[in-house]
Every structure is written in C-alpha cells, then in structure tokens.
Amino acid sequence: MSTQKLILTQEVTGLGSSGDTVEVKGGYARNYLLPRGLAIVATRGAEKQVESLRRARAAREVRSLDEAQSVAGRLSGLTVRVPARAGAGGRLFGRVTTADVAAAVTAAGGPELDRRRIELPSSIKTTGQHTVTVRVHPEVTTQLAIEVVAG
C-alpha cells in the first residue's frame, strides 16, 4: 500500500490538528482528506504555509492547561438552553448541531467555543436533557449538560 505525506489544514479527530504533517494511506488522502479540504499535499512550498497555519492555531487554541481547566470549570457550572423547532411529542424538525450548541453556550454567558471542539453523542432529535463532550484542550475534556427546548 502506498502512503502519502500531507499537511493538515484543519483538525481531524484521531489524526492531528491544523499544521501537523502526517503520513496516511493513499486512498484516505485521495478520497477523504484532500477533496474535503482537510489537508494539502506536503511540498516545499506547502511547508511555508505550515508556519502560518500553526500561528493561526496558536491564536485560536486555549493558551495553557490552567486556562483550559478554568474554562472547563465555567462550562460545568453553566445551564445551557438550546431552542429548536419541535412538533408534538417533543420531536424536532431537523436536529441540534454543534454550531447550535456553541451559539447557545455563548448566549448563556459562557466562553466562545469552536464548534469542532464539541462532540455530540449522537444526533439530538428530541427535546429534553442531553449531555455533550467539549474538548477544551488536548488534555482537558468536560461534559456539558444542555436542555433542548421547543421554541
């Protein structure tokens, strides 16, 4: 099997984050990473782009472990209500997305979160209490309780 050397342009769960140079199987690169814009082929010119990606990632990333733990503490004490259109019986029209959760956290007075750092357990298609996981830092994750309400 052939492998390809790529530079990630966005965070890919289980592979790396923006600016990392990774070596993956050819099919994974050709059929998934490259068409979705998650990576670029590693060339000499692309190595220069890696520096700008790393600088951008450093600006977005939570600076330190202590700061990440304080953010996680703020999130755990937060009550987040996500409004969604629902029919009879509490079934939603559509589903709750990570972008909806990130917007609701900000609206509830919490820190601004990147939607890619929020992991939903499965599709949220009903009203009520749900729990989502937030990766604040590579070493810090926290559980966030959300309440989906008809609205």
Side-chain angles (χ1 to χ4, degrees), residues 74-94:
R74 285 176 50 202
L75 285 173
S76 64
L78 202 60
T79 303
V80 179
R81 295 172 61 97
V82 180
R85 289 185 47 213
R91 190 151 171 85
L92 300 183
F93 297 124

Side-chain angles (χ1 to χ4, degrees), residues 1-8 15 20-26 28-29 33:
M1 297 281 163
S2 65
T3 59
Q4 226 174 341
K5 198 168 188 179
L6 301 174
I7 299 169
L8 297 178
L15 191 58
D20 290 349
T21 303
V22 295
E23 199 163 313
V24 296
K25 299 240 179 180
Y28 185 48
L33 295 174

Side-chain angles (χ1 to χ4, degrees), residues 131-147:
T131 303
V132 298
T133 304
V134 180
R135 287 179 287 114
V136 182
H137 188 271
E139 299 167 10
V140 179
T141 60
T142 186
Q143 299 292 318
L144 177 64
I146 63 169
E147 182 182 2

Side-chain angles (χ1 to χ4, degrees), residues 48-133:
K48 293 178 184 174
Q49 289 180 318
V50 170
E51 276 307 309
S52 64
L53 288 173
R54 285 192 180 133
R55 274 186 259 130
R57 178 177 65 180
R60 274 195 322 265
E61 198 173 81
V62 176
R63 296 289 182 242
S64 67
L65 189 59
D66 294 335
E67 186 178 341
Q69 289 171 340
S70 71
V71 169
R74 285 176 50 202
L75 285 173
S76 64
L78 202 60
T79 303
V80 179
R81 295 172 61 97
V82 180
R85 289 185 47 213
R91 190 151 171 85
L92 300 183
F93 297 124
R95 64 188 175 107
V96 174
T97 63
T98 56
D100 296 334
V101 174
V105 167
T106 305
E112 193 166 317
L113 296 174
D114 186 0
R115 66 173 176 77
R116 293 172 291 211
R117 298 217 178 261
I118 299 171
E119 296 175 357
L120 301 177
S122 61
S123 291
I124 298 177
K125 295 183 177 185
T126 59
T127 58
Q129 293 285 338
H130 298 277
T131 303
V132 298
T133 304

